[in-house]
mmCIF file with all atom_site columns, all heavy atoms in Angstrom:
data_model
loop_
_atom_site.group_PDB
_atom_site.id
_atom_site.type_symbol
_atom_site.label_atom_id
_atom_site.label_alt_id
_atom_site.label_comp_id
_atom_site.label_asym_id
_atom_site.label_entity_id
_atom_site.label_seq_id
_atom_site.pdbx_PDB_ins_code
_atom_site.Cartn_x
_atom_site.Cartn_y
_atom_site.Cartn_z
_atom_site.occupancy
_atom_site.B_iso_or_equiv
_atom_site.pdbx_formal_charge
_atom_site.auth_seq_id
_atom_site.auth_comp_id
_atom_site.auth_asym_id
_atom_site.auth_atom_id
_atom_site.pdbx_PDB_model_num
ATOM 1  N N   . LYS C 1 161 ? 2.773  39.802 -16.711 1.00 0.00 ? 161 LYS C N   1
ATOM 2  C CA  . LYS C 1 161 ? 3.610  40.915 -16.156 1.00 0.00 ? 161 LYS C CA  1
ATOM 3  C C   . LYS C 1 161 ? 2.861  41.594 -15.025 1.00 0.00 ? 161 LYS C C   1
ATOM 4  O O   . LYS C 1 161 ? 2.615  40.982 -14.054 1.00 0.00 ? 161 LYS C O   1
ATOM 5  C CB  . LYS C 1 161 ? 4.016  41.893 -17.327 1.00 0.00 ? 161 LYS C CB  1
ATOM 6  C CG  . LYS C 1 161 ? 5.310  42.597 -17.081 1.00 0.00 ? 161 LYS C CG  1
ATOM 7  C CD  . LYS C 1 161 ? 5.829  43.247 -18.313 1.00 0.00 ? 161 LYS C CD  1
ATOM 8  C CE  . LYS C 1 161 ? 7.122  43.927 -18.044 1.00 0.00 ? 161 LYS C CE  1
ATOM 9  N NZ  . LYS C 1 161 ? 6.920  45.231 -17.324 1.00 0.00 ? 161 LYS C NZ  1
ATOM 10 N N   . LEU C 1 195 ? 0.223  43.605 -24.096 1.00 0.00 ? 195 LEU C N   1
ATOM 11 C CA  . LEU C 1 195 ? 1.567  43.404 -23.455 1.00 0.00 ? 195 LEU C CA  1
ATOM 12 C C   . LEU C 1 195 ? 2.359  42.359 -24.307 1.00 0.00 ? 195 LEU C C   1
ATOM 13 O O   . LEU C 1 195 ? 3.454  42.497 -24.601 1.00 0.00 ? 195 LEU C O   1
ATOM 14 C CB  . LEU C 1 195 ? 1.406  42.825 -22.009 1.00 0.00 ? 195 LEU C CB  1
ATOM 15 C CG  . LEU C 1 195 ? 1.663  43.838 -20.925 1.00 0.00 ? 195 LEU C CG  1
ATOM 16 C CD1 . LEU C 1 195 ? 1.334  43.121 -19.562 1.00 0.00 ? 195 LEU C CD1 1
ATOM 17 C CD2 . LEU C 1 195 ? 3.046  44.416 -20.838 1.00 0.00 ? 195 LEU C CD2 1
ATOM 18 N N   . ASP C 1 204 ? 10.958 40.704 -27.633 1.00 0.00 ? 204 ASP C N   1
ATOM 19 C CA  . ASP C 1 204 ? 11.094 40.397 -26.224 1.00 0.00 ? 204 ASP C CA  1
ATOM 20 C C   . ASP C 1 204 ? 10.076 39.427 -25.708 1.00 0.00 ? 204 ASP C C   1
ATOM 21 O O   . ASP C 1 204 ? 9.353  38.910 -26.498 1.00 0.00 ? 204 ASP C O   1
ATOM 22 C CB  . ASP C 1 204 ? 11.061 41.756 -25.467 1.00 0.00 ? 204 ASP C CB  1
ATOM 23 C CG  . ASP C 1 204 ? 12.050 41.814 -24.298 1.00 0.00 ? 204 ASP C CG  1
ATOM 24 O OD1 . ASP C 1 204 ? 12.289 40.708 -23.718 1.00 0.00 ? 204 ASP C OD1 1
ATOM 25 O OD2 . ASP C 1 204 ? 12.543 42.932 -23.959 1.00 0.00 ? 204 ASP C OD2 1
ATOM 26 N N   . SER C 1 205 ? 10.065 39.172 -24.399 1.00 0.00 ? 205 SER C N   1
ATOM 27 C CA  . SER C 1 205 ? 9.197  38.170 -23.896 1.00 0.00 ? 205 SER C CA  1
ATOM 28 C C   . SER C 1 205 ? 8.652  38.674 -22.528 1.00 0.00 ? 205 SER C C   1
ATOM 29 O O   . SER C 1 205 ? 9.286  39.520 -21.914 1.00 0.00 ? 205 SER C O   1
ATOM 30 C CB  . SER C 1 205 ? 9.841  36.787 -23.739 1.00 0.00 ? 205 SER C CB  1
ATOM 31 O OG  . SER C 1 205 ? 10.805 36.879 -22.812 1.00 0.00 ? 205 SER C OG  1
ATOM 32 N N   . VAL C 1 206 ? 7.436  38.114 -22.108 1.00 0.00 ? 206 VAL C N   1
ATOM 33 C CA  . VAL C 1 206 ? 6.943  38.507 -20.836 1.00 0.00 ? 206 VAL C CA  1
ATOM 34 C C   . VAL C 1 206 ? 6.513  37.226 -20.023 1.00 0.00 ? 206 VAL C C   1
ATOM 35 O O   . VAL C 1 206 ? 6.233  36.191 -20.660 1.00 0.00 ? 206 VAL C O   1
ATOM 36 C CB  . VAL C 1 206 ? 5.659  39.472 -20.875 1.00 0.00 ? 206 VAL C CB  1
ATOM 37 C CG1 . VAL C 1 206 ? 6.149  40.850 -21.290 1.00 0.00 ? 206 VAL C CG1 1
ATOM 38 C CG2 . VAL C 1 206 ? 4.623  38.838 -21.863 1.00 0.00 ? 206 VAL C CG2 1
ATOM 39 N N   . PRO C 1 301 ? 9.707  35.289 -17.837 1.00 0.00 ? 301 PRO C N   1
ATOM 40 C CA  . PRO C 1 301 ? 9.616  35.626 -19.175 1.00 0.00 ? 301 PRO C CA  1
ATOM 41 C C   . PRO C 1 301 ? 10.503 34.605 -19.963 1.00 0.00 ? 301 PRO C C   1
ATOM 42 O O   . PRO C 1 301 ? 11.647 34.375 -19.536 1.00 0.00 ? 301 PRO C O   1
ATOM 43 C CB  . PRO C 1 301 ? 10.204 37.065 -19.308 1.00 0.00 ? 301 PRO C CB  1
ATOM 44 C CG  . PRO C 1 301 ? 10.924 37.255 -18.034 1.00 0.00 ? 301 PRO C CG  1
ATOM 45 C CD  . PRO C 1 301 ? 10.240 36.412 -17.000 1.00 0.00 ? 301 PRO C CD  1
ATOM 46 N N   . LEU D 1 257 ? 9.346  41.249 -15.073 1.00 0.00 ? 257 LEU D N   1
ATOM 47 C CA  . LEU D 1 257 ? 10.429 41.662 -16.001 1.00 0.00 ? 257 LEU D CA  1
ATOM 48 C C   . LEU D 1 257 ? 10.234 41.233 -17.410 1.00 0.00 ? 257 LEU D C   1
ATOM 49 O O   . LEU D 1 257 ? 9.538  40.255 -17.652 1.00 0.00 ? 257 LEU D O   1
ATOM 50 C CB  . LEU D 1 257 ? 11.755 41.089 -15.403 1.00 0.00 ? 257 LEU D CB  1
ATOM 51 C CG  . LEU D 1 257 ? 12.139 41.536 -14.071 1.00 0.00 ? 257 LEU D CG  1
ATOM 52 C CD1 . LEU D 1 257 ? 13.572 40.893 -13.714 1.00 0.00 ? 257 LEU D CD1 1
ATOM 53 C CD2 . LEU D 1 257 ? 12.309 42.984 -13.857 1.00 0.00 ? 257 LEU D CD2 1
ATOM 54 N N   . TYR D 1 258 ? 10.822 41.922 -18.287 1.00 0.00 ? 258 TYR D N   1
ATOM 55 C CA  . TYR D 1 258 ? 10.917 41.392 -19.616 1.00 0.00 ? 258 TYR D CA  1
ATOM 56 C C   . TYR D 1 258 ? 12.015 40.368 -19.724 1.00 0.00 ? 258 TYR D C   1
ATOM 57 O O   . TYR D 1 258 ? 12.993 40.408 -18.993 1.00 0.00 ? 258 TYR D O   1
ATOM 58 C CB  . TYR D 1 258 ? 11.151 42.497 -20.695 1.00 0.00 ? 258 TYR D CB  1
ATOM 59 C CG  . TYR D 1 258 ? 9.955  43.437 -20.917 1.00 0.00 ? 258 TYR D CG  1
ATOM 60 C CD1 . TYR D 1 258 ? 9.922  44.742 -20.380 1.00 0.00 ? 258 TYR D CD1 1
ATOM 61 C CD2 . TYR D 1 258 ? 8.939  42.934 -21.721 1.00 0.00 ? 258 TYR D CD2 1
ATOM 62 C CE1 . TYR D 1 258 ? 8.847  45.513 -20.651 1.00 0.00 ? 258 TYR D CE1 1
ATOM 63 C CE2 . TYR D 1 258 ? 7.816  43.778 -21.940 1.00 0.00 ? 258 TYR D CE2 1
ATOM 64 C CZ  . TYR D 1 258 ? 7.792  45.089 -21.400 1.00 0.00 ? 258 TYR D CZ  1
ATOM 65 O OH  . TYR D 1 258 ? 6.749  45.821 -21.675 1.00 0.00 ? 258 TYR D OH  1
ATOM 66 N N   . GLY D 1 259 ? 11.894 39.529 -20.784 1.00 0.00 ? 259 GLY D N   1
ATOM 67 C CA  . GLY D 1 259 ? 12.914 38.566 -20.920 1.00 0.00 ? 259 GLY D CA  1
ATOM 68 C C   . GLY D 1 259 ? 14.334 39.155 -21.037 1.00 0.00 ? 259 GLY D C   1
ATOM 69 O O   . GLY D 1 259 ? 15.343 38.654 -20.471 1.00 0.00 ? 259 GLY D O   1
ATOM 70 N N   . SER D 1 260 ? 14.416 40.355 -21.688 1.00 0.00 ? 260 SER D N   1
ATOM 71 C CA  . SER D 1 260 ? 15.698 40.997 -21.898 1.00 0.00 ? 260 SER D CA  1
ATOM 72 C C   . SER D 1 260 ? 16.257 41.515 -20.623 1.00 0.00 ? 260 SER D C   1
ATOM 73 O O   . SER D 1 260 ? 17.415 41.749 -20.491 1.00 0.00 ? 260 SER D O   1
ATOM 74 C CB  . SER D 1 260 ? 15.569 42.059 -22.932 1.00 0.00 ? 260 SER D CB  1
ATOM 75 O OG  . SER D 1 260 ? 14.540 42.981 -22.515 1.00 0.00 ? 260 SER D OG  1
ATOM 76 N N   . GLU D 1 261 ? 15.347 41.749 -19.665 1.00 0.00 ? 261 GLU D N   1
ATOM 77 C CA  . GLU D 1 261 ? 15.754 42.138 -18.308 1.00 0.00 ? 261 GLU D CA  1
ATOM 78 C C   . GLU D 1 261 ? 16.069 40.942 -17.388 1.00 0.00 ? 261 GLU D C   1
ATOM 79 O O   . GLU D 1 261 ? 16.751 41.239 -16.413 1.00 0.00 ? 261 GLU D O   1
ATOM 80 C CB  . GLU D 1 261 ? 14.700 43.032 -17.611 1.00 0.00 ? 261 GLU D CB  1
ATOM 81 C CG  . GLU D 1 261 ? 14.285 44.274 -18.371 1.00 0.00 ? 261 GLU D CG  1
ATOM 82 C CD  . GLU D 1 261 ? 12.958 44.916 -17.812 1.00 0.00 ? 261 GLU D CD  1
ATOM 83 O OE1 . GLU D 1 261 ? 11.969 44.100 -17.563 1.00 0.00 ? 261 GLU D OE1 1
ATOM 84 O OE2 . GLU D 1 261 ? 12.915 46.141 -17.696 1.00 0.00 ? 261 GLU D OE2 1
ATOM 85 N N   . HIS D 1 262 ? 15.551 39.892 -17.741 1.00 0.00 ? 262 HIS D N   1
ATOM 86 C CA  . HIS D 1 262 ? 15.742 38.692 -16.816 1.00 0.00 ? 262 HIS D CA  1
ATOM 87 C C   . HIS D 1 262 ? 16.810 37.764 -17.205 1.00 0.00 ? 262 HIS D C   1
ATOM 88 O O   . HIS D 1 262 ? 17.423 37.156 -16.306 1.00 0.00 ? 262 HIS D O   1
ATOM 89 C CB  . HIS D 1 262 ? 14.424 37.952 -16.675 1.00 0.00 ? 262 HIS D CB  1
ATOM 90 C CG  . HIS D 1 262 ? 14.422 36.802 -15.689 1.00 0.00 ? 262 HIS D CG  1
ATOM 91 N ND1 . HIS D 1 262 ? 14.629 35.497 -16.084 1.00 0.00 ? 262 HIS D ND1 1
ATOM 92 C CD2 . HIS D 1 262 ? 14.258 36.714 -14.417 1.00 0.00 ? 262 HIS D CD2 1
ATOM 93 C CE1 . HIS D 1 262 ? 14.632 34.805 -15.072 1.00 0.00 ? 262 HIS D CE1 1
ATOM 94 N NE2 . HIS D 1 262 ? 14.391 35.529 -14.035 1.00 0.00 ? 262 HIS D NE2 1
#
Side-chain angles (χ1 to χ4, degrees):
Chain C
K161 207 165 180 285
L195 261 176
D204 217 327
S205 65
V206 287
Chain D
L257 301 179
Y258 285 108
S260 56
E261 296 168 321
H262 185 264

